[in-house]
Amino acid sequence: MSNIRNLAIIAHVDHGKTTLIDNMLKQSGTFRENQQVADRLMDSNELERERGITIVAKCTSITYGDYKLNIIDTPGHADFGGEVERVLSMVDGALLLVDSSEGPMPQTKFVLNKALQLGLCPIVIINKVDRSDSRVEEVINEVFDLFVALGANERQLDFPILYAVGRDGWATPKLEEKGVDLGPLFEIIIKHVPSPSVHDIKGFSMLATILNYDSYVGRILIGKVYSGEAQVNDGVKAINLRGELVETSKLTKLFGFKGIDRTPIDVIRAGDIIAIAGLGKASVSDTICSADISTPIASTPIDPPTMAITIGVNDSPLAGQEGSKVTSRMILERLQREAEVNVAIALSAAGGKGESFEVGGRGELQLGILIESMRREGFELSVSRPRVLLRKDDSGNVLEPIEEVIIDVDEEYNSVIVEKLLRRKGDLMEIKPSSGNKLRLVFHIPSRGLIGYQAEFRNDTRGTGVLSKIFLRYEPYKGDIEKRGNGVLISNCAGETTAYALWNLKERGMMFVAPKTKVYEGMVVGEHNRSNDLDVNAVRGKKLTNMRASGSDENILLTPHKELTLEEAISYIEDDELIEVTPKSIRLRKRYLSPNDRKKNS
């Protein structure tokens, strides 16, 4: 056990965690010399590779000399903070990565706070020191100030610092000396991270922290062994945080980690991070233990969701034509499986006939990833506008979640950003120069004020701005926030859109559909250039006459339509609208399709 080191790599999104782990794996001899290895190995999920972000925490193991290093790669985006919270409970140390230019960002503050609360003493790595706009000394001071602000004790404040370029695979303790490899990083991990803390009892016990599914062995629970040892076919029981029995079973398979692979092993021992199979009901935060143990291992409480959406059966006229999983039972089973694996997701019935379900999460991105995963699996869904989850204090006053938003933006776009966020009930807390001739703006703003703002922010800054946010606290409700300024164009009949009809509508606003697109009554086909909704005919064809000029039909020139992504659609719709999500299409529609029903329910 003294030769094991369990640690997590934590950082803000895009500060280089996964790339650093790639090079740690390569330099530790995990792969053969001639082996072809993909970049960002730990981002094995299809959506992770597409978007370039880590969504799910993953475990890897590296052998360095006589030492075994169990390393957890954690997500850097605030929406997936639940993954970070539970993973930190099974490690004894942490590498805190900070970008040499951006410095500490909102998620840096969040993950560091969680690590310090658990008593971890992080190793600080200033990454990307080769950037032309790096400001290493300032960033180190900002990191130290952050430690102090979060209440770090003297032991935690005495953190070692390395300077690194994770992409090139080197780290050095001296900024003025360029490193050769990651040897200094491995050495400081062995020296600074303590050997695993375990419980002084005889029986076997482990805390399940990550739940995976495998097509061959079924449910796999990953976690740290806190006491004793166990072998294949040993009888165990699972108990929840209240000490109640969940199930009794046998350990059918035991796995250790070697590089990025799970390898079968015969015995698991205290201090190691391992994976087990054979339990059908036990889940995250349950204690798996021998029969004589009755006290569960304490688990870190997870911050509650701050936002919810309603996911239901697709009941549009085009339902069932593009997906294979369309019933409420299938949707419920899939959502229950997600809630079991992802502790930051909350699931409840949304009333009605049991055909819709309320899903709570940390933000639009997390909920969007869930919906995108489901549509790729063949589901057809209807999705509502996100809404924030309000609370009441002891006096009955309504409280709402507030986010801390940090924005790095060119000075020319500063005024439009400030104006729009103030209109969304934001409070400007700080404005100061940042790296690369940019300004850094810090806002405290209601979570509902940020719904739909990301796409607008990208447009306003011509894609050059960086916006990061993190949940701050609950505060008294700040009043109504102005809604979308424009109405929508609604199809008043079913059929296929024609170029002629869309050409006649181009003066009315921006279209969301192309010619020869199937539409139905009540479907949103575009954005009106005025504030009211307008029913339009998008399927009308040109009347044929005997008098026609040669080539007149070829002169229709359409303005390119705007195809909304899933995240853009989620943030665009209003309360009386839904998104129809299928494996092939994303359509916007009114909740009530007929104009008469819309008037009755307005």
Side-chain angles (χ1 to χ4, degrees):
M1 192 179 71
S2 61
N3 284 16
I4 294 176
R5 298 291 184 270
N6 298 326
L7 66 148
I9 297 192
I10 56 177
H12 187 78
V13 66
D14 208 29
H15 279 199
K17 300 180 302 300
T18 308
T19 305
L20 179 67
I21 291 181
D22 277 0
N23 280 301
M24 291 176 75
L25 286 164
K26 290 170 186 173
Q27 292 187 26
S28 64
T30 302
F31 308 113
R32 301 187 311 274
E33 283 188 24
N34 62 345
Q35 187 172 342
Q36 292 292 314
V37 181
D39 289 336
R40 298 197 345 267
L41 260 175
M42 299 299 287
D43 287 346
S44 51
N45 179 305
E46 182 185 351
L47 280 171
E48 290 180 320
R49 298 197 71 81
E50 278 181 23
R51 295 168 182 250
I53 58 173
T54 302
I55 295 170
V56 181
K58 286 173 280 296
C59 185
T60 185
S61 183
I62 289 172
T63 301
Y64 183 75
D66 296 330
Y67 290 87
K68 179 182 181 183
L69 311 181
N70 291 318
I71 302 172
I72 314 290
D73 183 18
T74 63
H77 200 286
D79 282 22
F80 308 108
E83 291 280 322
V84 182
E85 290 170 87
R86 67 185 187 195
V87 159
L88 287 176
S89 64
M90 67 175 175
V91 298
D92 307 284
L95 301 182
L96 177 69
L97 250 69
V98 182
D99 187 289
S100 67
S101 170
E102 293 182 359
M105 298 290 277
Q107 185 72 358
T108 316
K109 181 178 178 180
F110 170 79
V111 294
L112 178 60
N113 187 38
K114 295 292 179 184
L116 295 176
Q117 286 176 359
L118 290 166
L120 302 180
C121 296
I123 298 165
V124 174
I125 301 176
I126 308 298
N127 197 24
K128 305 184 185 182
V129 293
D130 60 338
R131 284 184 60 155
S132 59
D133 57 350
S134 68
R135 46 186 194 94
V136 176
E137 293 299 330
E138 285 179 59
V139 167
I140 290 173
N141 290 334
E142 289 172 7
V143 170
F144 187 82
D145 291 344
L146 183 58
F147 271 73
V148 173
L150 295 175
N153 59 38
E154 286 187 22
R155 201 163 50 90
Q156 292 168 328
L157 283 172
D158 189 22
F159 52 83
I161 301 173
L162 286 180
Y163 310 95
V165 179
R167 183 195 61 230
D168 295 343
W170 60 263
T172 176
K174 296 179 180 178
L175 180 59
E176 61 275 10
E177 295 178 8
K178 182 179 177 180
V180 178
D181 56 24
L182 293 174
L185 176 57
F186 289 126
E187 294 295 337
I188 208 164
I189 288 171
I190 291 166
K191 179 182 175 184
H192 191 77
V193 177
S195 53
S197 57
V198 295
H199 294 171
D200 189 20
I201 54 176
K202 289 184 179 178
F204 165 75
S205 67
M206 71 166 275
L207 179 65
T209 309
I210 300 173
L211 173 62
N212 285 342
Y213 286 91
D214 186 281
S215 53
Y216 294 103
V217 297
R219 301 165 91 253
I220 291 180
L221 292 162
I222 300 171
K224 177 182 169 184
V225 181
Y226 278 84
S227 67
E229 62 179 52
Q231 300 180 3
V232 175
N233 290 326
D234 278 2
V236 293
K237 66 179 182 181
I239 54 177
N240 61 24
L241 289 170
R242 296 183 296 277
E244 299 162 347
L245 180 67
V246 176
E247 65 172 321
T248 55
S249 186
K250 282 188 175 181
L251 299 175
T252 57
K253 293 275 186 183
L254 305 177
F255 300 96
F257 292 92
K258 186 175 182 182
I260 58 171
D261 300 319
R262 283 196 297 260
T263 56
I265 53 177
D266 297 321
V267 182
I268 52 178
R269 294 187 173 88
D272 209 354
I273 292 176
I274 51 85
I276 62 172
L279 290 98
K281 295 179 182 176
S283 187
V284 171
S285 297
D286 290 343
T287 299
I288 318 301
C289 55
S290 49
D292 54 339
I293 291 178
S294 57
T295 306
I297 299 168
S299 180
T300 310
I302 303 297
D303 288 345
T306 59
M307 189 173 288
I309 54 172
T310 301
I311 296 178
V313 172
N314 178 20
D315 59 358
S316 89
L318 300 180
Q321 296 184 16
E322 297 177 356
S324 57
K325 300 173 183 176
V326 297
T327 66
S328 59
R329 180 182 59 81
M330 289 176 167
I331 293 170
L332 177 60
E333 286 175 357
R334 175 64 178 83
L335 292 175
Q336 285 174 332
R337 202 161 73 240
E338 184 69 27
E340 186 179 32
V341 174
N342 189 341
V343 292
I345 289 276
L347 177 64
S348 60
K353 301 174 184 175
E355 294 193 345
S356 59
F357 313 97
E358 188 171 280
V359 182
R362 293 281 178 87
E364 291 166 82
L365 178 62
Q366 183 190 28
L367 298 171
I369 291 284
L370 169 60
I371 296 164
E372 180 64 35
S373 300
M374 291 178 71
R375 75 182 286 234
R376 293 185 183 201
E377 293 164 19
F379 283 90
E380 286 197 9
L381 311 165
S382 67
V383 180
S384 74
R385 174 181 169 84
R387 62 179 187 83
V388 298
L389 299 174
L390 305 175
R391 289 181 177 179
K392 287 192 175 180
D393 62 14
D394 297 337
S395 307
N397 300 316
V398 178
L399 305 177
E400 66 174 331
I402 303 294
E403 310 262 354
E404 181 177 72
V405 176
I406 294 182
I407 294 173
D408 288 324
V409 67
D410 292 334
E411 194 167 346
E412 61 187 293
Y413 307 125
N414 168 43
S415 57
V416 68
I417 300 300
V418 171
E419 180 193 343
K420 288 195 173 180
L421 289 184
L422 290 177
R423 284 212 308 260
R424 290 168 175 261
K425 304 292 184 183
D427 295 323
L428 180 59
M429 309 304 293
E430 188 179 0
I431 182 167
K432 62 180 181 181
S434 181
S435 60
N437 298 318
K438 291 179 179 282
L439 289 176
R440 174 163 290 185
L441 314 176
V442 181
F443 284 89
H444 290 175
I445 184 169
S447 297
R448 60 196 170 95
L450 291 172
I451 295 175
Y453 181 64
Q454 288 278 9
E456 207 175 311
F457 175 75
R458 282 196 297 272
N459 290 336
D460 288 342
T461 63
R462 306 294 185 270
T464 61
V466 177
L467 183 150
S468 305
K469 61 188 176 69
I470 194 76
F471 170 74
L472 187 64
R473 58 178 169 266
Y474 275 84
E475 288 185 2
Y477 188 76
K478 291 183 176 288
D480 292 337
I481 294 175
E482 62 182 55
K483 297 190 176 181
R484 185 179 68 207
N486 294 61
V488 290
L489 302 174
I490 308 163
S491 175
N492 61 11
C493 56
E496 256 188 20
T497 56
T498 64
Y500 175 73
L502 297 179
W503 181 76
N504 280 304
L505 291 172
K506 68 179 183 180
E507 301 298 326
R508 297 289 190 178
M510 175 177 59
M511 304 309 297
F512 294 154
V513 293
K516 297 190 175 180
T517 300
K518 286 183 180 178
V519 297
Y520 51 83
E521 182 183 35
M523 179 173 157
V524 174
V525 295
E527 180 178 271
H528 195 192
N529 51 20
R530 298 189 180 183
S531 59
N532 62 303
D533 293 344
L534 184 67
D535 290 306
V536 298
N537 186 338
V539 302
R540 182 175 51 161
K542 188 172 185 180
K543 293 285 189 293
L544 297 179
T545 68
N546 291 331
M547 304 293 290
R548 302 189 67 183
S550 173
S552 60
D553 282 348
E554 297 168 12
N555 293 333
I556 293 177
L557 294 174
L558 290 175
T559 306
H561 70 288
K562 179 173 183 180
E563 200 160 317
L564 295 176
T565 65
L566 180 59
E567 270 87 16
E568 286 172 340
I570 288 174
S571 60
Y572 181 81
I573 60 172
E574 293 290 1
D575 294 332
D576 66 335
E577 295 162 355
L578 296 171
I579 310 166
E580 178 187 351
V581 179
T582 76
K584 295 180 181 177
S585 309
I586 295 171
R587 304 183 183 99
L588 306 189
R589 51 164 285 192
K590 285 294 181 179
R591 191 180 290 270
Y592 300 100
L593 298 180
S594 102
N596 291 335
D597 288 343
R598 289 201 293 276
K599 284 176 185 172
K600 281 180 197 170
N601 290 280
S602 66

